[in-house]
Each structure stands twice: as C-alpha cells, then as structure tokens.
Amino acid sequence: MAERYRKHVYCEKKFLDHCIKTIAEWKFCEESFEELRLWMCIKELIFSSDIILHLDISGEDLPLSYGVKPKKDFPVWAKELAQMQSEQKIHLKLGDFVTPENINKSNDIHLTAYYLTCCDSTKCRNCMNECGVLAICPENIQDFKDIFSDNGTAIDKNDEYIKSWKSVLNFSPCNSIALVDNYILTDTNMMNENLADIFDALLPEKLNVEIPFQISIFTTLKSSDLKFDINSEDRQNCIESLIRKIRPNLRFNLSIFKVSKDKFHDRSLVSNNFYVSCGGGFDLFKEKKSTKMTTINIVYPVLNNSVYWTSAAYSNFIKEVTSVFNRATSFDTIKKNLSFNGATIKIDPNTMTGFYVGDKQNRLCELIK
C-alpha cells in the first residue's frame, strides 16, 4: 500500500515571518477581516501534517529540540516547528529550496507544489501563467480568497441558471488533469458538449514551451447499457481534435485508460491544484440543460480550513489512479500480442480492460512511487 500523498509546499522564511506578524498585529476592522481569515488559513496550512513543508532555512535556525544547541533566541514559530517535528506531527524538509523563479520545469514535484513567497505579484503571475502552479505572496493574497472554501454548487434537473460547466468552473492555474468517470465518453454528443466546456474553463491558453499540459481520462469505454465496447482510438482522436480547436496554442499530452466498471464509483476531476467531484457525472449537461439533480464540490486540498476531508480525498484519488496508471498496458501492445505468425486472432482488443491509448504521461501519477 502506497503511503498517503502529501502536497509539497515551498515557503520562504520571510513569508512565514510576515504571516505570523500579520496575525499577531491584526486589529479588528471589518474591511480587513477577510484578509485575516486568509492568513489564518495559510498559517494552518504551514503547520499542517497533510503537507511536506520546505523552508529556506538551515538546522541552525531551529532550537535544541531539533538537535542543534541554542546559540540565540528563536522565534515562536521556530520553536513550534521544532517541537512538532520532534513529535513527528509535521513533515519538514530543509535544503534544496525552490522559488517561483527557479522551478525545474521537468520536475514533477516542482510542478505540483504550492509556493508561498515574498516576491512581487508580477513574478507570481508570470510563474502561474507559465508553469500552472499556485504562487501566493502578500501582494496577491486577496486574489485567492475563493480557494479557502468549497466553491461547488447544487444543481437541479433542467436548472435554468446553470447550463454548462463554464457556469460552474472558474479558471485556476493548473498544468495537469486526471478525470475519472465511467460514462464520460459514452455518448459523443454529450462528450463533446461537456468536455468542450470543461476544457474551455480549465485549460490555459498555453504554458511554458517546455511543459506540456497533461490530461488523463479513466473510464469504462462502454455503451450506456454496457452491451458493447467503444473504440478507444476513435475517442482519442475526437478528444484531441476538440482540444486543438479550443486551445490551438496549447501543447498537451492525452491518455485514455480503460477500466472495468467496478474499478471506480465516484466521478472526480483532479488537477495539480484542485479537486472537483460531481455525483451526477461529468456528462451532466445535454443541449445546455442539466440532465439530473446533483451536487458539485470544488475545493483546494490543504488550502482551506473548513473542508478537512479534501486532503484525504485528494490523496486517495492520486493513489488510486496511479495504481491504474502504473499497471496499464498500451493498446498497441495488446493488438500486437493478438497476432500470431502474421495471422490476427479474432478478438477485439477494445473488449479488454487495463489498457491505455495516447501518451502515458501525467505528472499527477508520478507523485507516488
């Protein structure tokens, strides 16, 4: 059993000092109360056991309980971190620190981490646009007020106000997506309508040229009555054409994984930054109307202090799709193995499960080894 996945967070000491000072010196003011709530959420994130915390300090910046003789007075946060580390309540990493300006664009951890920094908001914005990560600084923290709670919604059948995924999903920086839904590719009309709006809402216009956006879909590739199998290569071509039409300048990799109908039950979409669940499925809309009553959750794991289940849900999702990802065989290999001495065995490889088509690349599935 793979251990729980924890989000990597790179936090500058200067940012942590600013966070603690802001909270300690805050005076009641109705206009700034929202900002205080954000800083409280950030502090809870930094001291959370659900993350791997990277700090740009050395062991000498922490007191004796961390194994270094006290040579100076330490701030309260240093004493608290050292104590929590000694009790194994946090996961602290020192050294090899990464800032928004020196992200290794081929490193999966760097591209799926959160960044807490004191660099200016322009540099943060450039980093988010180019790399699809979240970079939070004191200057831009108000821009993130929506990510500290559930941004989902309840939808009624034939809802007259919510008519598409673009009405539900707001763009947030990301560089990879994994989507689980047994029936998302069943009906081509509903597939095109729903995926077009999902991709249009979430995909950036482009990323840094070194970084392809990575998309993986885990589904049964079955008809709605489960009586026949859908051609996987046909669906791959349809989706690739759809993405190219919506985002002509975006470099991307797409993979589709065929799974048995009992492998996944919940319908979820996860990016490197957020988690979306929809009980009614992502094939929800038909001709700009909701086909069923359902509830949608949109949350940012570990960045909120009110929806605690999301960290575990995010970790469980990553572990489960990674298991399928690692074990899947390429569709081309299956087809090759169905031929013997040049004669093709009369078995449709689409009827099998445990295979993938497309580019088997997704940094979300490379986080747990």
Side-chain angles (χ1 to χ4, degrees):
M1 175 73 72
E3 70 171 291
R4 180 172 179 173
Y5 167 68
R6 290 177 168 83
K7 175 71 71 176
H8 289 257
V9 177
Y10 291 89
C11 177
E12 296 172 6
K13 175 183 177 295
K14 186 177 179 181
F15 181 95
L16 178 52
D17 284 331
H18 183 92
C19 175
I20 300 296
K21 183 178 179 182
T22 299
I23 294 171
E25 297 180 356
W26 182 78
K27 292 180 175 59
F28 182 79
C29 173
E30 185 176 347
E31 290 76 18
S32 65
F33 181 75
E34 183 74 7
E35 182 177 350
L36 173 67
R37 191 175 73 88
L38 298 181
W39 284 111
M40 293 292 289
C41 289
I42 289 289
K43 181 184 176 185
E44 188 164 333
L45 164 70
I46 294 170
F47 288 87
S48 170
S49 63
D50 291 326
I51 69 167
I52 295 174
L53 176 64
H54 300 258
L55 281 174
D56 58 344
I57 63 175
S58 68
E60 293 183 354
D61 295 308
L62 294 173
L64 181 62
S65 58
Y66 192 69
V68 178
K69 290 183 179 180
K71 299 178 180 178
K72 57 182 179 180
D73 291 331
F74 294 94
V76 173
W77 63 258
K79 297 176 183 177
E80 187 174 350
L81 283 177
Q83 182 65 28
M84 294 179 72
Q85 178 76 344
S86 68
E87 296 173 359
Q88 299 184 333
K89 292 181 178 179
I90 60 170
H91 307 273
L92 182 62
K93 298 281 187 181
L94 306 181
D96 298 323
F97 191 77
V98 182
T99 71
E101 297 172 286
N102 64 3
I103 292 174
N104 180 341
K105 297 177 177 63
S106 61
N107 187 299
D108 294 325
I109 290 177
H110 294 189
L111 291 174
T112 53
Y114 293 153
Y115 294 86
L116 306 178
T117 177
C118 281
C119 69
D120 62 63
S121 58
T122 298
K123 291 179 181 177
C124 286
R125 183 172 60 252
N126 291 340
C127 172
M128 291 189 284
N129 290 340
E130 290 185 7
C131 299
V133 299
L134 291 187
I136 302 175
C137 68
E139 223 178 291
N140 73 6
I141 192 170
Q142 291 280 19
D143 297 340
F144 292 88
K145 61 183 179 181
D146 292 336
I147 72 174
F148 295 97
S149 56
D150 190 332
N151 291 276
T153 188
I155 300 178
D156 200 0
K157 187 175 182 180
N158 298 321
D159 196 309
E160 61 180 298
Y161 300 105
I162 303 175
K163 299 181 179 181
S164 72
W165 281 105
K166 289 190 72 176
S167 306
V168 178
L169 301 172
N170 295 316
F171 175 74
S172 177
C174 59
N175 56 50
S176 49
I177 284 175
L179 187 155
V180 168
D181 188 324
N182 282 342
Y183 306 107
I184 184 63
L185 305 186
T186 295
D187 181 292
T188 53
N189 291 326
M190 293 183 72
M191 176 191 81
N192 287 330
E193 178 178 353
N194 286 274
L195 285 183
D197 282 335
I198 290 171
F199 291 149
D200 202 21
L202 299 182
L203 300 189
E205 293 295 331
K206 62 180 181 178
L207 290 172
N208 183 289
V209 291
E210 299 176 50
I211 307 172
F213 196 100
Q214 297 172 342
I215 303 167
S216 296
I217 299 174
F218 299 80
T219 186
T220 59
L221 284 169
K222 283 274 190 181
S223 62
S224 55
D225 56 10
L226 302 179
K227 290 183 178 178
F228 65 88
D229 293 86
I230 295 169
N231 184 285
S232 56
E233 293 172 313
D234 172 69
R235 288 296 192 265
Q236 176 195 359
N237 293 333
C238 287
I239 298 172
E240 286 180 346
S241 297
L242 181 67
I243 297 172
R244 290 192 185 100
K245 181 178 179 180
I246 294 171
R247 294 292 186 269
N249 298 318
L250 180 65
R251 184 169 160 240
F252 68 91
N253 294 328
L254 171 69
S255 51
I256 301 173
F257 293 79
K258 184 175 181 181
V259 298
S260 60
K261 63 184 179 67
D262 59 348
K263 182 61 182 176
F264 295 105
H265 179 265
D266 293 349
R267 289 89 176 270
S268 304
L269 182 154
V270 160
S271 82
N272 54 301
N273 292 326
F274 52 81
Y275 174 98
V276 182
S277 66
C278 178
F282 291 94
D283 56 346
L284 181 62
F285 297 98
K286 183 176 182 180
E287 298 176 351
K288 299 302 178 182
K289 291 182 179 179
S290 172
T291 59
K292 62 198 81 172
M293 180 182 72
T294 191
T295 301
I296 299 171
N297 298 101
I298 306 172
V299 289
Y300 289 74
V302 307
L303 267 174
N304 62 73
N305 63 356
S306 58
V307 193
Y308 288 105
W309 58 265
T310 57
S311 296
Y314 192 83
S315 174
N316 292 342
F317 182 98
I318 296 293
K319 288 193 296 183
E320 196 66 20
V321 297
T322 296
S323 174
V324 173
F325 183 93
N326 289 338
R327 295 175 183 174
T329 304
S330 75
F331 189 63
D332 290 338
T333 298
I334 291 177
K335 289 193 296 184
K336 181 179 180 181
N337 290 340
L338 287 178
S339 60
F340 181 73
N341 288 337
T344 301
I345 302 173
K346 293 183 178 181
I347 297 176
D348 182 0
N350 282 293
T351 63
M352 301 178 177
T353 59
F355 69 77
Y356 70 90
V357 292
D359 298 309
K360 190 183 180 183
Q361 297 181 50
N362 197 311
R363 55 189 59 93
L364 292 171
C365 300
E366 301 291 338
L367 299 174
I368 299 177
K369 303 298 183 182

